[in-house]
Amino acid sequence: MTPLLGLLGGMSAGCFSTLGNNPFDVVKTRMQGTHASQYAGTLDCFKQIAAKEGMPAFYAGVVPRLGRVVPGQGIIFMSFETIQKNLEGLNIF
């Protein structure tokens, strides 16, 4: 795999993971906040957010998170592939 493919693969993984995990992060943040007592539990928090604010509320703050996670994952994947290729060339493993 080329470093560019590693970069693009990592960025894609970062994008999908952020979009998949953001609703859970929103619920976690609400449950840890100062108004956490208004929720009976995690499932109740999900239900209240969906009922009162709608599905877009689960993606609050997604843009800054994408800006942090996507490039970071791209660099990690690219670095891993590059380091692995260089170590294989040394024949020490």
Side-chain angles (χ1 to χ4, degrees):
M1 179 183 300
T2 66
L4 181 60
L5 282 176
L7 177 71
L8 295 175
M11 291 174 76
S12 297
C15 182
F16 289 120
S17 70
T18 299
L19 294 175
N21 288 327
N22 207 74
F24 299 103
D25 284 338
V26 167
V27 171
K28 176 195 70 157
T29 301
R30 299 278 181 99
M31 295 290 294
Q32 292 174 337
T34 55
H35 301 290
S37 61
Q38 71 184 9
Y39 305 114
T42 306
L43 189 57
D44 182 54
C45 184
F46 264 108
K47 288 178 185 177
Q48 284 193 41
I49 293 171
K52 294 178 183 175
E53 301 171 51
M55 295 307 287
F58 289 112
Y59 289 93
V62 76
V63 174
R65 189 161 179 240
L66 282 169
R68 178 181 57 86
V69 172
V70 170
Q73 287 302 109
I75 291 168
I76 289 169
F77 275 54
M78 181 180 65
S79 299
F80 175 80
E81 292 298 329
T82 303
I83 292 167
Q84 183 180 24
K85 188 166 69 171
N86 289 333
L87 287 176
E88 286 173 352
L90 294 175
N91 293 323
I92 58 175
F93 294 106

